[in-house]
Amino acid sequence: MSDLREWMNREARNTAKALSRINLGEMAEQSAGGFGLRARAVEFLDTIKAAMFPSLYESGAVSEKHLISLAEGKLFQASEQLLGIARDVFLGRCAPVEREKCDRVKCRHRADTLAMEFMQQVAPIRELLSEDLRAAYEGDPAARYLEEILLSYPSIEAVSTYRIAHALFVLGLPVVPRILTEHAHARTGIDIHPSATIGRHFFIDHGTGVVIGETCVIGDNVKLYQGVTLGAKSFPLDANGNPVKGIKRHPNLEDDVIVYANATILGGDVTIGRGSVIGGNTWITHSVPAGSRILKNGEGA
């Protein structure tokens, strides 16, 4: 037997116990609750997407009636997954010292209400995604089929995940929305914070390197290209030198705006007016009026 195997046989259990104690101690004050939360959240995401687009995700359907049954099954599965996740998250938010006083009935009711309210939004979210698909089809001359866009475009992967995560964020579910959007970020290179507000008919062409910050507000019929950053210009600090949270830091894009590749727009007081076109490689830290054409570092055409 090798020295490594002998050591593992002797010490692995004790090391695992020590690591578990360290992990639980670190997370005690702000625990999200539940084991395997990331994997469960991603599993829920896959299930709800399959329910939203059953004709593309359900390869075993043999008839329209069968397809409806499969979609119904996915909806039930997604609701149970979300309910379990939400219960664990809400119960886990009670610090260990307070857990004995935690109103478990109230936490479970809160989770049940959240899961039901989300499931009631599934059809409207699907409608939003249909508009995003149409925006991609109309905005990309290389797109031939809607199925091609849904199943292969990284922007649709990121935006569809954002739409689901944003709904959960608005309903008040902690931690999970960010897990979902960071999962999409890892897969696509597109970073959309679940708190951002994005209107209808939205398209990111190519997409790699796009960043949409937490307090961004984006209107309808907006198109971004790869490498666009909608970020913060600065981070105000509190008395302890820590960034102040919960303030407006990211820009607003009004309806019908186009932002070309590698443009950077920074600041919570910045608004890009309706119908404006922002050229590639520009750097903008001030508002521009409606109908502007910005070609180089804030300079108009």
Side-chain angles (χ1 to χ4, degrees):
M1 182 181 295
S2 70
D3 291 342
L4 174 61
R5 178 60 61 84
E6 184 178 348
W7 184 91
M8 289 296 293
N9 288 339
R10 186 176 65 251
E11 297 295 338
R13 176 57 62 91
N14 290 333
T15 302
K17 287 181 178 179
L19 291 173
S20 296
R21 284 195 297 270
I22 293 170
N23 180 67
L24 292 173
E26 289 174 344
M27 302 302 291
E29 293 302 316
Q30 295 183 328
S31 172
F35 294 106
L37 183 60
R38 181 182 178 86
R40 293 164 63 197
V42 172
E43 183 181 20
F44 159 74
L45 177 66
D46 290 340
T47 304
I48 198 65
K49 283 186 177 181
M52 288 181 175
F53 298 96
S55 62
L56 297 180
Y57 285 90
E58 294 294 343
S59 59
V62 296
S63 66
E64 182 177 353
K65 185 177 181 180
H66 187 205
L67 184 66
I68 293 171
S69 296
L70 290 172
E72 183 181 14
K74 289 294 184 182
L75 287 171
F76 272 104
Q77 183 181 356
S79 67
E80 290 299 316
Q81 289 170 338
L82 180 58
L83 179 59
I85 290 168
R87 284 180 175 178
D88 282 350
V89 169
F90 290 139
L91 288 169
R93 297 299 289 179
C94 298
V97 293
E98 300 175 353
R99 208 156 278 162
E100 294 300 322
K101 302 176 183 179
C102 179
D103 188 339
R104 293 179 177 272
V105 173
K106 184 177 181 180
C107 281
R108 290 192 179 98
H109 176 71
R110 183 182 177 192
D112 185 75
T113 299
L114 182 144
M116 181 178 66
E117 290 179 349
F118 175 83
M119 297 308 294
Q120 291 171 341
Q121 294 184 38
V122 169
I125 292 171
R126 173 63 169 82
E127 291 178 6
L128 278 175
L129 291 175
S130 294
E131 291 193 46
D132 296 330
L133 284 168
R134 180 59 59 181
Y137 183 79
E138 294 170 354
D140 183 3
R144 302 295 179 91
Y145 309 100
L146 292 177
E147 294 88 346
E148 171 190 16
I149 296 168
L150 177 63
L151 297 176
S152 66
Y153 275 40
S155 63
I156 294 300
E157 173 77 17
V159 172
S160 62
T161 300
Y162 156 78
R163 297 286 189 198
I164 293 164
H166 180 71
L168 293 171
F169 182 91
V170 171
L171 289 172
L173 183 63
V175 183
V176 174
R178 193 65 185 273
I179 290 174
L180 298 181
T181 54
E182 288 303 324
H183 172 72
H185 181 197
R187 294 187 65 179
T188 67
I190 299 169
D191 184 0
I192 308 176
H193 195 286
S195 175
T197 301
I198 301 177
R200 310 180 80 89
H201 207 259
F202 179 62
F203 179 42
I204 304 174
D205 201 351
H206 302 295
T208 304
V210 166
V211 176
I212 300 175
E214 177 188 15
T215 59
C216 277
V217 178
I218 297 175
D220 297 336
N221 196 36
V222 169
K223 183 177 183 179
L224 309 180
Y225 283 82
Q226 68 271 18
V228 168
T229 296
L230 306 179
K233 182 166 56 177
S234 61
F235 301 94
L237 305 179
D238 62 20
N240 297 319
N242 298 315
V244 177
K245 300 181 185 295
I247 62 172
K248 173 71 170 166
R249 306 186 309 281
H250 305 95
N252 307 310
L253 275 58
E254 294 183 344
D255 297 348
D256 306 315
V257 166
I258 299 175
V259 185
Y260 282 95
N262 300 313
T264 298
I265 305 172
L266 305 178
D269 58 349
V270 172
T271 295
I272 305 302
R274 180 171 185 164
S276 293
V277 175
I278 307 301
N281 299 304
T282 51
W283 178 275
I284 296 176
T285 57
H286 59 81
S287 295
V288 300
S292 297
R293 299 292 185 270
I294 307 299
L295 301 183
K296 183 179 179 182
N297 294 332
E299 300 175 5

